[in-house]
Amino acid sequence: MPRVARVKSWSGIYHVMLRGANRQEIFHEEEDCLTFLRILERYKIKSELKIFAWCLMGNHVHLLVKEGNEPLSTTMKRIGVSFVSYYNWKYQTNGHLFQGRFRSENVEDVRYILTVVSYILKIQ
């Protein structure tokens, strides 16, 4: 059964979530978090992605972003592949790290932006 296409946000703003496969931990050490943030920064610059809020939990990530000069799916794929390559190299593993493709919710108004920012800051 084919995947359902994502509904594009007219504002270009999304609440993005990446979760470890089987809810496994994806950040074991501070170095893992810093590496994820460096990768995020690299593709933020490359794709002109705007990041309004972020939170790295042990087994998942929350981002509030505005799509840049390429589709969000492309940017998130680059981020995911880069981090998985690092993770698999560091921990001598292979295969999937994330549970399927990233989840995203369209953020279309200021009230919802404030709700998402509040949620992300609260879980930190």
Side-chain angles (χ1 to χ4, degrees):
M1 178 180 218
R3 300 193 277 208
V4 176
R6 294 182 195 278
V7 176
K8 190 149 175 70
S9 167
W10 64 265
S11 69
I13 300 174
Y14 299 89
H15 176 197
V16 174
M17 295 143 280
L18 277 170
R19 182 183 302 226
N22 298 313
R23 299 182 184 214
Q24 81 180 51
E25 196 167 315
I26 57 177
F27 302 113
H28 302 284
E29 301 174 354
E30 184 176 348
E31 179 186 1
D32 301 337
C33 295
L34 294 174
T35 299
F36 185 88
L37 292 174
R38 280 192 291 274
I39 291 167
L40 184 61
E41 181 180 27
R42 179 182 339 141
Y43 290 109
K44 170 192 173 291
I45 293 166
K46 184 174 192 144
S47 71
E48 298 175 4
L49 183 75
K50 289 186 176 37
I51 302 171
F52 301 116
W54 54 268
C55 181
L56 307 183
M57 306 295 284
N59 68 349
H60 67 285
V61 175
H62 286 271
L63 305 169
L64 179 61
V65 300
K66 180 171 172 99
E67 193 171 51
N69 62 18
E70 66 184 8
L72 182 63
S73 294
T74 302
T75 305
M76 292 308 299
K77 181 177 181 179
R78 294 176 198 268
I79 292 166
V81 167
S82 295
F83 186 73
V84 170
S85 295
Y86 155 80
Y87 184 96
N88 285 343
W89 168 81
K90 180 177 179 183
Y91 294 105
Q92 297 296 296
T93 61
N94 57 41
H96 298 285
L97 176 62
F98 296 115
Q99 178 179 306
R101 60 184 178 163
F102 69 95
R103 288 185 46 221
S104 65
E105 296 175 357
N106 296 358
V107 179
E108 307 292 11
D109 59 53
V110 174
R111 175 179 251 159
Y112 193 43
I113 288 173
L114 296 174
T115 300
V116 174
V117 168
S118 175
Y119 174 75
I120 289 174
L121 294 177
K122 189 183 294 182
I123 60 176
Q124 287 187 9

